Amino acid sequence: MKRHFTKIIVITLCLGLISSYVISTFRGYSKNSSDKQIPETTIAFKKEGELDILSKENKVIQHLDIEIADNTYEAATGLMYRNSMLENRGMLFVFKTESEHAFYMKNTRIPLDIIYINKNFEVVSFAKDAIPFDETSLPSKYPVQYVLEVNGGMIDKWGITVGDKISYQKI
């Protein structure tokens, strides 16, 4: 009888522990995302170079501090997860060879102007005011080796046109 009573207590304790674990696990799970605060990933700007946008007459239109995306991971991530960017900043994508490229705004929270630049550092096309989170393809239309992303509206504000150039240096 004593042995039978001990088994009942051990089984009851085990069931109690298992029940507590299951209940605590499901209590943390919610089908309604408004019940939980999901932290937002953010990435801070890291100055990796400086870039000048030059007119056809080689006059500086705008000077920028830039991040440089020159590997597969950085090119895929771009300016995703940024809540804002100062007007004098941008990201320069550097590709090993010149070819047609297309960009999109997946996980990008801020509107961007995308400037497509050939191997001779000349602006060949652009996409103005790309819409945050929009996954529509924004093609270069021409072979490019560089792509510069800046805040939306800057192409018009700075008066950038096809044929303008860039000059940049890593720091």
Side-chain angles (χ1 to χ4, degrees):
M1 175 95 170
K2 192 175 184 183
R3 210 175 232 191
H4 184 66
F5 182 70
T6 304
K7 284 182 181 179
I8 292 173
I9 290 177
V10 169
I11 291 171
T12 304
L13 285 173
C14 288
L15 287 174
L17 289 172
I18 292 170
S19 298
S20 295
Y21 173 76
V22 170
I23 290 169
S24 67
T25 300
F26 283 105
R27 189 176 291 151
Y29 174 77
S30 172
K31 290 183 181 177
N32 185 349
S33 63
S34 64
D35 291 347
K36 293 197 307 187
Q37 289 284 343
I38 299 171
E40 288 190 7
T41 303
T42 57
I43 300 174
F45 179 84
K46 180 182 175 193
K47 182 177 175 178
E48 298 173 316
E50 295 181 349
L51 181 142
D52 287 327
I53 302 172
L54 307 165
S55 69
K56 293 174 191 87
E57 296 79 29
N58 285 326
K59 293 182 181 176
V60 175
I61 295 172
Q62 185 65 36
H63 177 80
L64 301 172
D65 292 335
I66 56 169
E67 288 183 78
I68 299 173
D70 56 4
N71 64 47
T72 304
Y73 172 76
E74 292 169 342
T77 306
L79 289 172
M80 292 179 177
Y81 310 110
R82 311 296 174 107
N83 292 323
S84 64
M85 183 169 61
L86 296 178
E87 189 174 302
N88 68 333
R89 291 183 177 169
M91 178 172 277
L92 181 67
F93 295 79
V94 179
F95 299 101
K96 291 184 188 293
T97 59
E98 188 178 53
S99 64
E100 289 189 30
H101 290 277
F103 280 58
Y104 63 94
M105 298 290 287
K106 180 177 182 180
N107 296 321
T108 305
R109 299 174 181 155
I110 56 176
L112 296 174
D113 283 350
I114 302 170
I115 304 168
Y116 297 103
I117 303 155
N118 68 16
K119 67 181 179 184
N120 298 319
F121 304 102
E122 298 169 328
V123 174
V124 295
S125 65
F126 38 75
K128 295 181 184 180
D129 290 311
I131 301 165
F133 301 104
D134 187 355
E135 295 186 36
T136 303
S137 180
L138 303 166
S140 63
K141 300 176 189 162
Y142 302 98
V144 297
Q145 191 162 354
Y146 306 92
V147 177
L148 177 62
E149 290 183 340
V150 296
N151 282 309
M154 295 300 104
I155 289 174
D156 289 337
K157 182 174 183 176
W158 297 333
I160 298 170
T161 60
V162 170
D164 290 341
K165 297 182 178 187
I166 65 158
S167 171
Y168 80 97
Q169 61 185 354
K170 288 183 176 185
I171 58 168

